[in-house]
Amino acid sequence: MKYKRILLKLSGEALMGNKQFGIDTERISQYAQDIKDVQAAGVEIAIVIGGGNIFRGLQASESGMDRVQGDYMGMLATVINSMALQSYDRDLKVMDMTAFTLCEENKLPIIVFDMNKKGNLLNLVQGEKIGTLVTI
């Protein structure tokens, strides 16, 4: 394995699949299976997941909602997505600018790739050149 540990950032929008909002169960099931395959290969995985498929706090505040309330609702959307993913590779834990900055400060590589292609995650951690390496 090229990587022993990875941080996987999934956007909430990715969980929608072809839907207008919410969670596409086929998409999340495929993600969970890919994550399980990588974990079975011995890679430690931390997952950061967004909530934009359910609620966007910033957009709500732009339309008049209290920003703090909007952010709280966005956090709840993230928890909902985390629970949905967890219900499919157990023991999953739940990248915003803070996460990006932490990667930069600790010289951790960030690779953006297509998680929708089955097996891409495992191929990536095995060293295949998939996606784009973000240089900071």
Side-chain angles (χ1 to χ4, degrees), residues 9-23:
K9 173 20 173 130
L10 298 171
S11 71
E13 289 86 353
L15 301 180
M16 291 188 304
N18 294 324
K19 295 183 171 193
Q20 295 296 317
F21 65 92
I23 298 170

Side-chain angles (χ1 to χ4, degrees), residues 54-121:
I54 298 171
F55 190 82
R56 291 198 159 281
L58 182 59
Q59 287 176 339
S61 70
E62 289 172 353
S63 60
M65 179 180 279
D66 178 69
R67 173 66 191 264
V68 174
Q69 289 299 99
D71 286 343
Y72 289 157
M73 292 171 75
M75 286 184 245
L76 286 173
T78 296
V79 171
I80 290 167
N81 284 337
S82 302
M83 292 170 67
L85 183 60
Q86 183 180 27
S87 73
Y88 282 89
D89 142 35
R90 313 276 185 239
D91 299 323
L92 293 178
K93 315 293 184 233
V94 168
M95 183 178 246
D96 52 30
M97 188 52 95
T98 303
F100 187 83
T101 302
L102 287 169
C103 288
E104 178 183 28
E105 290 173 354
N106 291 286
K107 297 178 179 44
L108 298 173
I110 299 171
I111 301 172
V112 179
F113 69 100
D114 185 359
M115 183 70 180
N116 297 327
K117 184 175 178 188
K118 185 166 178 44
N120 252 4
L121 181 59

